[in-house]
Amino acid sequence: MAASSSAAAPADTYDIPWVEKYRPSRVADVVGNADAVSRLEVIARDGNMPNLILSGPPGTGKTTSILALAHEMLGPSYREGVLELNASDDRGLDVVRNKIKMFAQKKVTLPPGRHKIVILDEADSMTTGAQQALRRTMEIYSNTTRFALACNTSSKIIEPIQSRCAIVRFSRLSDQEILGRLMIVVAAEKVPYVPEGLEAIIFTADGDMRQALNNLQATVSGFRFVNQENVFKVCDQPHPLHVKSMVKNVLDGKFDEACSGLKQLYDLGYSPTDIITTLFRVIKNYDMAEFLKLELLKETGFAHMRICDGVGSFLQLSGLLAKFALVRETAKA
Amino acid sequence: MGKRPPLVVLSSSSDDDGGGGRCTASRGPSTRKTRTPATAPPAKQAPSSSRKKPRRGSSGGRGRRRASETALSGSLKDEFDMLTEDFSECLNDLGVSGSMRQTEELWIDKYKPLSLGELAVHKKKVEDVKNWLEEKLKAPKGTFGGRSLVLTGQAGVGKSATVKAIAAEIGADLCEWTTPVPTLWAELVHANSELEYVSKLEEFENFVNKIRKYSLLSPTSIGSPKKLIIILIDDIPVTSGKASFARLGKCLTGLIQSTQIPTVISLTHHHKNEANDTATWNSEELESLLQGAGAHKIVFNPVTVSSIKKILLRICKQESSGTTEELVHQIATSCGGDIRHAIMSLQYYCLNPRRLDSALAISASLSDLKGHATLAPAQDCYGLGSVIHSPCGRDETLTLFHALGKFLHNKRETHGDVNIDLDSFSLKEQLRRNPLKMDVPEMILSQAHGKVRTVADFLHENVVDFIDDDAVDDAWVVMSYLSEADCLLAGSPIASARWTVNESNESENMSQLIAASVAARGVLFGNAHPSPSRWHTIRSPKVWQIERTFRSTKGLILKERFDPSSTSGSRNFSDVVTDFRPFERWISPHNDMARNNPSRHDVAGGPNSIDMLGAEGSNCEEDEDEIEEW
């Protein structure tokens, strides 16, 4: 589908989400997770796919690679050789028993070494009952039909199914990998940008390629230019540099500056949850002594818990800064 | 493509009397052995099965119950096999099918154990099952009950495979319950009234009733004493709600009490996990019910690492794939005693031997890859993605233990270069730590793919072993951090109730992350004087075991309370626990096990509970995973 859509006329460029437009159609083009992807490439070439569970956080290319794999393996007979069900389809117990079993019994002429494929996307949202029903089906029809399950947490798949599959893990993409793909898209769409803008997009995406592309498209269609301010305007997160300088001020003992920085953020209208989420990510990657990091993380955690409890006041945030300062005082030699 | 040749031989040979059993046993493996080396590498075996594919494509759909082929067809088939083999060899010479390199079966099917020798299950266990089956098959007809066996154990430890292999060995016919394809509910609503909706449960009940009736007829009326039948029930219908569960229970109890054919029911244990609580309730309940009805129970333990390794190596040799010893070892240790998953992963990891070595090299040298750690400070305000792909494994396996080992051993640089914090300010002496000899803890955690709760529990259970004997204050620090992590992990009940699903997921996610890093970093920081490195085992948390026992005991007591025949009729729970239970134990003599109470769920009367505890004890021994120096 990506192949056909990329050939579309430039007039309707903005009609298709870039996520779809630049979805790789070949396994080899999938970004990141080099090990897993190279194995899937071998499967695409040689056939005989084992039952697979692809698990990993969202936006790391699970669905993309399994669809590409199916297309590459089955080619023209994709339409009759693949049954794709995702969470929006009816996937209750009787559907699994009926639809999947019927599909498994169907006869399709395929090239040698190829099998029919059942793709169950978002398999962790299937009920336990439905998964139980899948168990025997997988075994009985294994010589004609293979299964590929994509899910975010493989632990939500029941053990008997896990035991029948090889687990392929996808991890978050590195910043370089996302950047590489962004550059391709930027070049293809002729987007005006500054490097800091792309950096900001990568920060907001947090290893999620889908989000990176969506944020990029949103920024472009909103402001026609990708720089830091525009990205944070669109994605609307507290600016990490701002938060970082706040933490730095506290650690340097400039408590007043830190407080005014916080006040500024709060006055911009960010909710305490937003602020604390960014704060956590900043602290996690901030380079400081081990003890300080541990204590700061702990205090952030407790503040986050209180905010989730409903005490999302400005006072809590200032209190958090005060606690940071206290930690600094106790740690200081 | 249908069945593999040996399987067909198995089912057909059960019909010819006399030497059938022995014949199967010898022929099953031998067919394969002669076929494979005769025409050298797997490249030649491949075309033969591909040739057969279109011709026998029809047999695949019919399932496994097609058990009555004549002995004639067995020999015909052998001939046919030879012919096709010759034919394909000719083809090979012509170079037509040169591109076909791999066989098209899953390895778990291809290397299914065909004889007892090939089973990965412990010899004694196999013996147990076999003896039981043989005894029951020989037992005189006419007696009711006592002919059912419940096999329990984790997924993939070879429950069904054992039964199948034994059946082949002693030449018995295996009759399995396969769920038929149902009509969809939606179809039913829209269809004409001709169709009748039959639930799985009803169909299962019908099946069971049929067995009970036919068991009276078949073996004796035909008059051939050799026809042995074993019923294997593998796919017990899923029940939801108490009513349907009760029906299933009744149906199975009836089966157990009246069957005259040896019946094997296999139940899969689930690991505890909060997500699917209903299912676990189901299997445990069912197990105790079946046992109460008089079924004999045999627990299958996870397969040992060494026997998994043996089998994997054998497969590697037969596939002649250039796998390294390390990979096999890694798969074997990380699959958690699940032989099927081990073979599956092996097939997956054999896909690309070239890449494989690099993956191994990465994971092996993970500990001294400081080059990756420098990635972080370079762009410290942005999130860093993990570059290293973690190796195979089911959840809670090697990668998790790997991570735990790192945290617990707490390796640091020996000579302190504290210049990093000099630019800001200097810390107190006792709060200073040498830099870690590992990646950032968060990164290790994200690679471990473990649940935070699991990590915290494991750390709590094991950390004390790793702290020096004299450093009590270190233990204080570690424990206080762990307790804080626990508190963060539990979060607040209000939050989850008040927030909408999406948001609460988000916030939960974050508190999980924080809790994980507090736990890991707390252990790393607090353990200032690690005990000299020596060999440790990592125990699985005792808390889990206690919780499990607590829940099951509570369940039993509750059940007994509602049991009218029992003495402790309509008392409230605390009365039963505090007054009745100790009193009963006190007045009843120690060796009086049965108390002559017909109630099945006897708590105080030894055998049940002792048995259960014993089983759990052995389980948790198996759970232990050993780590040395990483």
Side-chain angles (χ1 to χ4, degrees):
Chain A
M1 62 193 129
S4 64
S5 60
S6 59
D12 54 352
T13 308
Y14 290 106
D15 293 344
I16 316 158
W18 289 357
V19 180
E20 289 303 325
K21 191 171 170 184
Y22 294 98
R23 192 190 278 274
S25 59
R26 294 183 42 229
V27 180
D29 295 340
V30 175
V31 176
N33 294 299
D35 187 55
V37 170
S38 73
R39 282 172 204 287
L40 294 182
E41 256 177 89
V42 178
I43 297 178
R45 199 183 61 218
D46 295 347
N48 194 20
M49 182 184 95
N51 296 326
L52 296 176
I53 292 179
L54 294 93
S55 89
T60 47
K62 302 180 297 293
T63 312
T64 304
S65 42
I66 198 66
L67 286 180
L69 176 66
H71 271 291
E72 242 173 280
M73 265 173 73
L74 299 181
S77 39
Y78 179 88
R79 273 168 57 87
E80 62 259 33
V82 173
L83 177 70
E84 193 197 340
L85 295 172
N86 58 36
S88 63
D89 293 307
D90 187 6
R91 281 195 309 196
L93 215 160
D94 54 348
V95 174
V96 168
R97 283 236 146 98
N98 186 309
K99 233 181 174 171
I100 294 181
K101 235 173 176 173
M102 287 296 190
F103 176 77
Q105 290 174 351
K106 197 169 83 171
K107 285 188 191 57
V108 180
T109 329
L110 295 173
R114 305 293 193 258
H115 301 87
K116 284 176 286 174
I117 303 176
V118 178
I119 297 176
L120 293 169
D121 211 346
E122 292 135 60
D124 40 6
S125 63
M126 282 171 80
T127 60
T128 321
Q131 290 185 32
Q132 288 278 11
L134 199 61
R135 185 168 84 98
R136 286 282 285 170
T137 315
M138 258 170 136
E139 218 161 57
I140 294 173
Y141 301 106
S142 68
N143 40 21
T144 58
T145 308
R146 300 290 160 80
F147 289 77
L149 288 76
C151 61
N152 288 343
T153 42
S154 62
S155 58
K156 281 199 188 138
I157 309 281
I158 59 167
E159 287 203 9
I161 302 257
Q162 280 188 41
S163 149
R164 284 166 176 78
C165 297
I167 296 184
V168 186
R169 296 205 190 275
F170 282 72
S171 44
R172 287 188 182 284
L173 303 180
S174 75
D175 295 347
Q176 282 84 355
E177 285 160 347
I178 292 188
L179 181 68
R181 190 73 188 165
L182 283 183
M183 293 306 282
I184 292 173
V185 175
V186 159
E189 295 285 336
K190 299 191 181 58
V191 173
Y193 71 96
V194 289
E196 288 78 30
L198 293 188
E199 215 175 359
I201 283 182
I202 291 169
F203 178 82
T204 54
D206 199 21
D208 181 340
M209 178 67 85
R210 186 189 290 129
Q211 188 149 32
L213 285 177
N214 280 336
N215 289 349
L216 179 67
Q217 192 176 14
T219 314
V220 170
S221 62
F223 297 95
R224 307 271 157 202
F225 187 69
V226 182
N227 62 11
Q228 232 173 3
E229 284 93 85
N230 289 348
V231 170
F232 284 109
K233 256 181 224 163
V234 168
C235 307
D236 205 30
Q237 281 181 359
H239 202 301
L241 282 181
H242 195 126
V243 177
K244 198 185 170 191
S245 74
M246 208 166 83
V247 176
K248 189 172 183 336
N249 279 333
V250 173
L251 291 182
D252 289 348
K254 296 179 221 154
F255 190 69
D256 286 340
E257 272 110 89
C259 268
S260 69
L262 178 68
K263 182 93 175 78
Q264 236 177 339
L265 267 188
Y266 194 77
D267 288 343
L268 281 173
Y270 291 113
S271 79
T273 328
D274 291 336
I275 295 176
I276 206 144
T277 309
T278 315
L279 193 62
F280 167 61
R281 271 162 68 183
V282 166
I283 291 178
K284 198 173 72 177
N285 296 317
Y286 197 100
D287 197 18
M288 61 177 110
E290 202 182 334
F291 173 75
L292 285 179
K293 202 164 188 172
L294 172 61
E295 282 293 322
L296 259 52
L297 278 176
K298 192 187 82 184
E299 294 302 343
T300 316
F302 279 116
H304 176 254
M305 208 165 86
R306 291 199 201 102
I307 289 171
C308 284
D309 271 350
V311 201
S313 60
F314 181 63
L315 185 56
Q316 281 301 325
L317 291 175
S318 332
L320 180 60
L321 283 190
K323 274 177 190 148
F324 285 176
L326 271 179
V327 168
R328 175 182 175 270
E329 277 312 303
T330 47
K332 198 171 178 184
Chain B
M1 32 175 107
K3 307 183 172 191
R4 281 170 311 105
L7 201 76
V8 178
V9 173
L10 180 157
S11 55
S12 63
S13 70
S14 57
D15 267 13
D16 53 7
D17 294 348
R22 255 164 283 134
C23 189
T24 324
S26 61
R27 214 196 293 169
S30 71
T31 41
R32 205 171 67 197
K33 265 177 210 148
T34 50
R35 268 160 44 99
T36 328
T39 55
K44 304 221 172 160
Q45 200 190 344
S48 82
S49 59
S50 77
R51 283 296 128 197
K52 274 177 266 165
K53 188 177 170 184
R55 262 171 248 199
R56 279 193 278 138
S58 59
S59 66
R62 267 183 254 160
R64 292 160 190 237
R65 283 172 69 181
R66 194 170 50 94
S68 54
E69 272 189 39
T70 51
L72 192 67
S73 80
S75 59
L76 264 181
K77 220 200 63 51
D78 281 355
E79 250 181 68
F80 178 72
D81 275 356
M82 276 172 61
L83 277 177
T84 47
E85 212 160 304
D86 289 348
F87 179 55
S88 62
E89 258 178 85
C90 292
L91 273 182
N92 240 14
D93 290 343
L94 289 173
V96 173
S97 55
S99 64
M100 289 277 314
R101 301 235 94 208
Q102 288 183 317
T103 45
E104 290 121 31
E105 275 175 304
L106 287 177
W107 288 5
I108 44 170
D109 289 334
K110 197 168 163 189
Y111 297 102
K112 188 169 275 185
L114 299 164
S115 66
L116 295 191
E118 290 178 45
L119 280 171
V121 185
H122 198 275
K123 290 256 174 354
K124 211 171 130 279
K125 228 23 128 184
V126 179
E127 255 337 91
D128 279 356
V129 178
K130 191 178 166 212
N131 287 343
W132 185 90
L133 279 173
E134 273 177 341
E135 186 189 312
K136 295 302 164 186
L137 282 168
K138 280 189 199 118
K141 315 283 173 196
T143 51
F144 287 98
R147 284 172 194 267
S148 39
L149 178 69
V150 179
L151 300 182
T152 64
Q154 276 183 30
V157 294
K159 300 183 289 292
S160 312
T162 308
V163 175
K164 278 172 195 160
I166 291 174
E169 179 101 355
I170 60 180
D173 232 347
L174 209 59
C175 173
E176 283 185 74
W177 155 248
T178 50
T179 38
V181 176
T183 48
L184 280 181
W185 180 250
E187 272 172 23
L188 189 82
V189 172
H190 296 295
N192 309 330
S193 53
E194 305 262 319
L195 289 167
E196 203 177 330
Y197 188 78
V198 192
S199 77
K200 281 285 102 6
L201 197 54
E202 277 164 43
E203 274 168 5
F204 185 69
E205 274 177 342
N206 288 341
F207 169 76
V208 167
N209 281 334
K210 260 184 222 160
I211 300 177
R212 289 168 66 179
K213 277 175 205 149
Y214 290 140
S215 67
L216 295 173
L217 299 173
S218 59
T220 45
S221 63
I222 292 171
S224 61
K226 278 294 177 188
K227 179 157 179 167
L228 305 171
I229 300 176
I230 298 168
I231 300 173
L232 175 63
I233 300 177
D234 201 356
D235 194 13
I236 285 182
V238 183
T239 55
S240 55
K242 284 218 160 143
S244 60
F245 180 74
R247 264 175 67 193
L248 176 68
K250 211 176 113 207
C251 162
L252 282 172
T253 315
L255 174 68
I256 288 167
Q257 281 168 349
S258 69
T259 182
Q260 296 198 331
I261 302 172
T263 307
V264 180
I265 302 169
S266 102
L267 283 179
T268 304
H269 267 282
H270 296 280
H271 257 288
K272 288 290 152 216
N273 100 35
E274 314 87 55
N276 41 17
D277 231 353
T278 51
T280 57
W281 172 79
N282 226 339
S283 79
E284 260 174 27
E285 196 98 329
L286 204 57
E287 193 185 313
S288 64
L289 190 82
L290 292 176
Q291 251 188 303
H296 185 67
K297 175 176 139 185
I298 294 182
V299 180
F300 273 62
N301 292 329
V303 184
T304 56
V305 172
S306 57
S307 53
I308 289 182
K309 226 163 151 181
K310 217 171 70 196
I311 286 184
L312 292 185
L313 284 176
R314 204 189 66 209
I315 293 177
C316 284
K317 212 189 279 169
Q318 289 189 14
E319 287 288 327
S320 65
S321 60
T323 42
T324 50
E325 187 95 5
E326 281 161 277
L327 175 84
V328 170
H329 177 78
Q330 206 168 15
I331 292 177
T333 41
S334 67
C335 67
D338 182 345
I339 180 76
R340 178 170 41 202
H341 185 70
I343 297 177
M344 265 309 211
S345 332
L346 182 69
Q347 184 177 7
Y348 172 67
Y349 278 93
C350 278
L351 280 174
N352 197 344
R354 189 178 47 79
R355 293 279 321 171
L356 204 74
D357 294 331
S358 63
L360 267 175
I362 287 174
S363 65
S365 60
L366 202 65
S367 51
D368 42 36
L369 261 188
K370 271 169 281 165
H372 280 276
T374 54
L375 218 157
Q379 24 162 307
D380 47 4
C381 89
Y382 295 118
L384 60 122
S386 56
V387 193
I388 304 159
H389 185 73
S390 65
C392 53
R394 265 167 64 177
D395 282 355
E396 302 178 0
T397 48
L398 185 69
T399 44
L400 176 63
F401 285 103
H402 202 122
L404 289 174
K406 278 188 179 173
F407 294 145
L408 292 172
H409 281 294
N410 197 7
K411 290 246 181 69
R412 285 165 191 279
E413 306 283 357
T414 37
H415 50 275
D417 44 338
V418 252
N419 49 9
I420 310 166
D421 359 303
L422 278 183
D423 50 355
S424 53
F425 60 92
S426 53
L427 275 113
K428 276 183 196 162
E429 185 61 41
Q430 75 259 33
L431 296 179
R432 231 177 270 162
R433 296 285 184 274
N434 290 335
L436 288 170
K437 251 184 169 175
M438 59 178 98
D439 288 336
V440 194
E442 282 81 19
M443 192 159 150
I444 295 173
L445 279 171
S446 86
Q447 278 166 9
H449 298 287
K451 276 199 185 159
V452 185
R453 171 58 70 186
T454 326
V455 174
D457 281 350
F458 264 104
L459 286 177
H460 177 222
E461 175 77 26
N462 293 295
V463 72
V464 181
D465 289 348
F466 289 82
I467 299 176
D468 195 73
D469 288 341
D470 299 328
V472 182
D473 32 356
D474 281 359
W476 296 342
V477 177
V478 169
M479 282 307 159
S480 73
Y481 277 118
L482 278 179
S483 88
E484 264 148 6
D486 187 44
C487 181
L488 288 172
L489 201 54
S492 56
I494 315 165
S496 49
R498 234 168 46 88
W499 292 56
T500 56
V501 182
N502 235 337
E503 272 172 315
S504 90
N505 263 350
E506 181 96 349
S507 71
E508 211 149 84
N509 194 14
M510 190 178 140
S511 57
Q512 298 260 323
L513 282 175
I514 298 182
S517 36
V518 168
R521 281 175 180 277
V523 167
L524 285 175
F525 172 78
N527 191 1
H529 312 282
S531 63
S533 60
R534 60 192 152 95
W535 187 80
H536 285 293
T537 56
I538 288 195
R539 295 186 302 270
S540 83
K542 221 165 235 160
V543 203
W544 294 354
Q545 203 184 331
I546 293 169
E547 255 171 39
R548 201 186 320 166
T549 334
F550 162 73
R551 240 179 300 169
S552 68
T553 317
K554 192 174 167 188
L556 286 179
I557 291 176
L558 272 177
K559 216 178 296 161
E560 188 171 291
R561 206 183 71 185
F562 293 120
D563 197 343
S565 67
S566 168
T567 43
S568 50
S570 52
R571 293 306 177 122
N572 70 27
F573 190 69
S574 63
D575 278 356
V576 174
V577 177
T578 52
D579 293 345
F580 272 97
R581 215 34 71 213
F583 190 61
E584 250 174 21
R585 205 165 295 164
W586 185 56
I587 57 171
S588 66
H590 286 288
N591 53 0
D592 183 7
M593 304 283 237
R595 274 201 302 143
N596 293 333
N597 192 345
S599 153
R600 327 188 170 98
H601 313 293
D602 193 346
V603 189
N608 257 357
S609 45
I610 286 173
D611 193 17
M612 211 172 56
L613 281 177
E616 262 159 24
S618 65
N619 251 350
C620 76
E621 268 167 40
E622 293 290 331
D623 273 353
E624 274 180 20
D625 224 291
E626 297 162 355
I627 59 163
E628 294 165 61
E629 290 288 314
W630 270 324

